[in-house]
């Protein structure tokens, strides 16, 4: 054959022509995972989620390209109680230069969530459109907040994803469970909001503009069930504090969580008597605390603690004192009686075998401290001990893996695990050192701190230049969403414990997370555990819950659409500890069936 042969000519033309782009694929995934650029498309073409009243729940839509001009629009979900709105967010990729730990990874990761319309001031932002390179995937975050008075049952709607040349409509079903969780978190929190990074990132000077901006950060914190510490701007005037942040202490802000209020407030300065009196007069005194010392003896001498604590305790009413240390270290240095809020790092509650003197479950060591009653409490925190503290990159020490962590390049289940461990160890609060730590750098391009990606940075600066609109706002991360999920999981556990069924709740936690260094479980295992808790709450008829059908014929079973009356198998197969969860889920389902038969 010669060059003029049709076969040869076709081959030459094929070589000369660019390869045809693959068809765009739209698919779904759970919220408790991270969709990286190399993620392959899946066959899941619909979304089914479940939530209690007054709970947030989310799912993700994957888009595998090439696709240009990607946009999304959601219908309200319609059901027996009316309609429930769906919020949409884009997930731009954050590019990481180094892994946080041996099980982390450099390259592209989803984390920041740019809203289509923000929940703080209600402005349209530039989440859409975006492009997806050929052969890569990007994700869209979709979430709902179930109203506190929503009727139980199934709510249905859809999300339509469009791109240049095509579109796909994804059916969505939300099952509302017949019980509610509170707006103000039962687990106290104090998440830092430092002074140095926030003005620089937004280009705001000190004064009322900064106060208003910090208040918006505090509001988004409340939307995610956490209390930001030191949300004031350093102004010692208490009237100023009240003007800008009193609504967050009183629970009078206009938020999705009606009545949500801060569960803690850190004293700034040394005007103990003035602060105690002011907070007491407004009903806030139970939230006020002095951060007496952080990780002694690194930031203060052990001998400094008694005098500092005495100043706080001499106020009327007394101000609580907080120290981040273990009971063993506090006792060895004679300061255990000076501390009200004792906050050990989670590693010292149950360390790896042979790793330290804290190996094995240490919870019993706190019994005597807690037996003295209020105001003494056990809180927990996690730190760079979860991935390996800098300055060097941790490339080979596997001790620093598996722990709960808030770094970007860890699994979403590890981001969500801390609040489960708080329940496991009987902690009533959680502390985190900062949410805007990225000093002198832009977290959108370099979130590296303390040898970890995003360590201390849970918000991104949502400047008008970057996200559009006319007002600067904070942008939530996927990790902040996972913290909110963990806070809501804690509420399920607490409902059962308060009703006298704590043994079942602890069974579920212990099966899912046997030790705090074993939190890297599958999304399916975690969601099975959550479903087992919900089924148990319904089976026992706990607060406001009812078994059987909801109004309008929608199923009120926590099993969700198409399952009755058992527990749904969530995306991702349960493995390892998940097998124990499946057994517990079966027990809960049996209890629900027995209750229905008795009824």
């Amino acid at each position: 054959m010669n060059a003029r042969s049709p076969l040869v000519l076709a081959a030459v033309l094929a070589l000369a022509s660019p390869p045809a782009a693959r068809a765009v694929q739209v698919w779904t995934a759970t919220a408790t995972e991270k969709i990286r650029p190399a993620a392959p498309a899946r066959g899941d073409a619909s979304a089914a989620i479940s939530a209690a009243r007054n709970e947030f729940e989310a799912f993700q839509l994957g888009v595998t390209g090439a696709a240009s001009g990607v946009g999304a629009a959601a219908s309200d979900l319609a059901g027996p109680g009316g309609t429930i709105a769906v919020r949409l967010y884009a997930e731009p990729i954050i590019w990481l230069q180094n892994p946080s730990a041996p099980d982390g990874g450099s390259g592209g990761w989803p984390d920041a969530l740019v809203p289509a319309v923000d929940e703080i001031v209600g402005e349209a932002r530039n989440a859409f459109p975006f492009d997806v390179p050929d052969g890569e995937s990007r994700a869209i975050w979709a979430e709902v907040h179930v109203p506190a008075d929503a009727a139980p049952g199934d709510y249905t709607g859809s999300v339509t994803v469009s791109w240049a040349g095509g579109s796909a409509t994804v059916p969505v079903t939300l099952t509302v469970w017949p019980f509610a969780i509170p707006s103000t978190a039962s687990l106290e929190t104090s998440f830092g909001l430092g002074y140095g990074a926030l003005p620089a990132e937004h280009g705001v000077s000190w004064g009322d503009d900064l106060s208003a901006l910090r208040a918006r950060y505090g509001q988004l914190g409340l939307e995610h069930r956490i209390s930001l510490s030191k949300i004031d701007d350093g102004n010692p005037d208490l009237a100023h504090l009240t003007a800008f942040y009193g609504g967050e202490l009183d629970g009078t802000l206009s938020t999705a969580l009606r009545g949500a209020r801060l569960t803690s407030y850190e004293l700034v300065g040394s005007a103990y008597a003035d602060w105690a009196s002011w907070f007491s007069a407004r009903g806030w005194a139970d939230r006020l605390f002095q951060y007496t010392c952080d990780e002694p003896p690194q930031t203060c001498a052990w001998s400094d603690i008694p005098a500092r604590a005495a100043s706080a305790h001499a106020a009327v009413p007394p101000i609580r004192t907080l120290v981040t240390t273990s009971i063993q270290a506090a006792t060895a240095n004679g300061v255990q009686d000076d501390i009200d809020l004792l906050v050990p790092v989670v590693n010292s509650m149950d360390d790896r075998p042979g790793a330290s003197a804290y190996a094995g479950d240490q919870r019993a060591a706190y019994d005597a401290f807690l037996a003295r009653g209020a105001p003494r409490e056990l809180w927990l925190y996690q730190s760079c001990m979860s991935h390996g503290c800098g300055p060097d990159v941790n490339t080979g020490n596997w001790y620093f893996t598996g722990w709960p962590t808030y770094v970007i390049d860890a699994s979403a289940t590890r981001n969500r695990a801390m609040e489960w461990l708080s329940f496991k160890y009987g902690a009533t609060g959680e502390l985190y050192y900062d949410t805007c730590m990225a000093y002198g750098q832009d977290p959108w391009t370099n979130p590296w701190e303390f040898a970890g990606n995003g360590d201390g940075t849970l918000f991104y600066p949502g400047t008008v230049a970057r996200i559009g609109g006319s007002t600067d706002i904070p942008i939530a991360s996927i990790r902040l969403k996972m913290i909110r999920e963990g806070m809501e999981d804690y509420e399920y556990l607490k409902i059962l414990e308060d009703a006298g069924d704590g043994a079942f709740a602890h069974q579920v936690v212990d099966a899912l997370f046997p030790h705090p260094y074993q939190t890297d479980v599958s999304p399916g295992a975690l969601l099975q555990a959550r479903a087992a808790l919900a089924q148990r709450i319904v089976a026992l008829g706990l607060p406001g819950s009812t078994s059987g059908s909801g109004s309008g014929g929608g199923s009120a079973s926590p099993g969700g659409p198409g399952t009755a009356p058992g527990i749904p198998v969530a995306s991702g197969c349960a493995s390892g500890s998940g097998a124990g969860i499946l057994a517990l889920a079966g027990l809960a389902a049996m209890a629900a069936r027995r209750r229905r038969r008795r009824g």
Side-chain angles (χ1 to χ4, degrees):
M1 293 188 293
N2 58 41
R4 295 191 179 123
S5 163
L7 291 175
V8 173
L9 183 60
V12 171
L13 290 174
L15 291 172
S17 302
R22 283 166 277 204
V24 177
Q25 294 173 275
V26 177
W27 42 281
T28 62
T30 72
T32 309
E33 52 191 298
K34 299 181 181 181
I35 299 171
R36 300 190 65 189
R42 305 178 191 172
D44 302 307
S46 62
I49 56 176
S50 303
R53 295 162 171 160
N54 207 31
E55 183 176 15
F56 291 89
E57 190 59 27
F59 62 94
Q60 297 181 85
L61 301 111
V63 183
T64 303
S68 61
V70 175
S75 72
D76 288 347
L77 307 182
T83 60
I84 297 175
V86 180
R87 294 174 176 172
L88 297 176
Y89 303 77
E91 300 182 23
I93 296 299
I94 305 298
W95 295 96
L96 309 180
Q97 299 302 309
N98 297 294
S100 298
D103 61 345
S106 58
W109 288 79
D111 193 48
L113 296 174
V114 178
V117 177
D118 76 78
E119 57 265 67
I120 302 300
V121 294
E123 294 179 3
R125 306 293 179 167
N126 59 10
F128 307 106
F130 61 81
D131 297 335
V132 183
D134 188 20
E136 293 190 10
S137 294
R138 296 292 186 270
I140 297 167
W141 186 275
E143 76 177 26
V144 300
H145 172 256
V146 179
D149 58 355
D154 291 345
Y155 294 71
T156 59
S158 62
V159 177
T160 298
V161 179
S162 59
W163 59 92
S167 66
T169 298
V170 176
V172 179
T173 302
L174 163 69
T175 297
V176 175
W177 291 332
F179 63 92
I181 60 176
S183 290
T184 298
S186 299
L187 183 68
E188 298 170 80
T189 53
S190 179
F191 280 53
L193 186 65
Y195 295 125
L198 195 57
E201 292 168 358
H202 287 274
V204 182
S205 60
W206 298 101
D208 288 355
D209 287 346
L210 178 60
S211 299
L213 177 62
R214 292 178 70 87
R216 291 195 285 275
Y217 273 78
Q219 179 177 341
L220 192 59
L222 281 179
E223 288 267 0
H224 290 81
R225 301 185 183 275
I226 64 168
S227 298
L228 296 190
S229 175
K230 294 191 296 190
I231 57 173
D232 60 275
D233 59 3
N235 188 330
D237 183 76
L238 289 165
H240 173 272
L241 180 154
T242 301
F244 281 95
Y245 313 111
E248 297 177 32
L249 284 156
D250 283 329
T252 56
L253 290 185
S254 178
T255 61
L257 297 173
R258 295 179 184 174
R261 63 178 198 167
L262 299 175
T263 56
S264 71
Y265 203 100
E266 182 181 343
L267 178 144
V268 177
S270 58
Y272 302 104
D274 292 344
W275 278 63
S277 176
W278 188 275
F279 272 60
S280 178
R282 287 156 182 79
W284 305 339
D286 60 328
R287 268 124 351 123
L288 186 61
F289 74 94
Q290 175 204 60
Y291 202 138
T292 313
C293 185
D294 182 49
E295 297 182 343
Q298 294 189 50
T299 64
C300 82
W302 289 103
S303 58
D304 294 334
I305 293 175
R308 295 181 182 183
S311 297
H313 288 154
V316 180
I319 298 172
R320 298 179 300 170
T321 58
L322 181 150
V323 178
T324 50
T325 190
S326 67
I327 187 60
Q328 293 91 337
T331 302
N333 289 278
V335 298
Q336 72 276 12
D337 292 339
D338 299 301
I339 302 171
D340 298 319
L341 305 178
L342 188 59
V343 192
V345 67
V346 68
N347 307 61
S348 67
M349 291 303 293
D350 182 2
D351 208 349
R352 293 181 186 274
S356 72
Y358 297 107
D361 191 339
Q362 303 295 309
R363 176 58 180 80
Y366 293 82
D367 286 347
F369 171 82
L370 294 173
R372 299 178 63 180
R376 288 168 181 79
E377 296 181 37
L378 170 64
W379 289 19
L380 293 177
Y381 76 106
Q382 58 87 12
S383 70
C384 58
M385 287 287 290
S386 290
H387 63 264
C389 302
D392 297 328
V393 178
N394 175 22
T395 57
N397 190 338
W398 285 83
Y399 170 89
F400 300 104
T401 61
W403 299 95
T405 180
Y406 296 149
V407 296
I408 296 169
D409 53 325
S411 68
T413 56
R414 288 175 68 193
N415 297 158
R416 185 172 176 170
M418 188 67 184
E419 294 71 37
W420 291 75
L421 296 176
S422 291
F423 181 84
K424 180 183 179 79
Y425 293 110
T428 53
E430 178 185 346
L431 179 139
Y432 190 56
Y433 80 107
D434 211 332
T435 55
C436 293
M437 180 61 190
Y439 289 98
Q441 61 202 47
D442 183 352
W444 291 94
T445 57
N446 182 17
W448 183 261
E449 288 288 349
F450 293 100
N453 293 298
D455 188 357
T457 302
L458 297 177
F459 296 107
Y460 289 81
T463 61
V464 170
R466 181 176 289 276
I467 68 166
S470 59
T471 308
D472 276 19
I473 59 169
I475 292 295
S477 61
I478 289 177
R479 294 164 295 140
L480 184 60
K481 299 291 183 185
M482 290 301 99
I483 292 168
R484 179 167 68 189
E485 294 287 351
M487 296 291 286
E488 292 174 340
D489 298 337
Y490 181 94
E491 299 294 351
Y492 285 32
L493 294 161
K494 188 174 186 300
I495 287 172
L496 288 170
E497 184 170 63
D498 289 350
D501 203 19
F504 179 84
H506 279 282
Q507 277 184 286
V508 172
V509 177
D510 292 344
L512 183 66
F513 299 130
H515 302 281
Y517 46 85
Q518 294 177 324
T519 62
D520 202 2
V521 303
S522 72
L526 192 149
L527 295 178
Q528 289 284 359
R530 175 179 174 271
L533 297 171
Q535 182 75 70
R536 185 73 161 197
I537 291 169
V538 174
L540 297 176
L542 296 181
S545 68
T546 57
S547 58
S549 297
S551 61
S555 170
S557 166
T563 64
I567 298 294
V569 177
S571 300
C573 296
S575 61
S577 61
I581 299 302
L582 290 171
L584 292 169
L587 292 174
M590 289 173 60
R593 287 194 289 270
R594 286 195 297 270
R595 182 176 177 85
R596 291 188 182 101
R597 285 197 294 269
R598 288 197 301 269

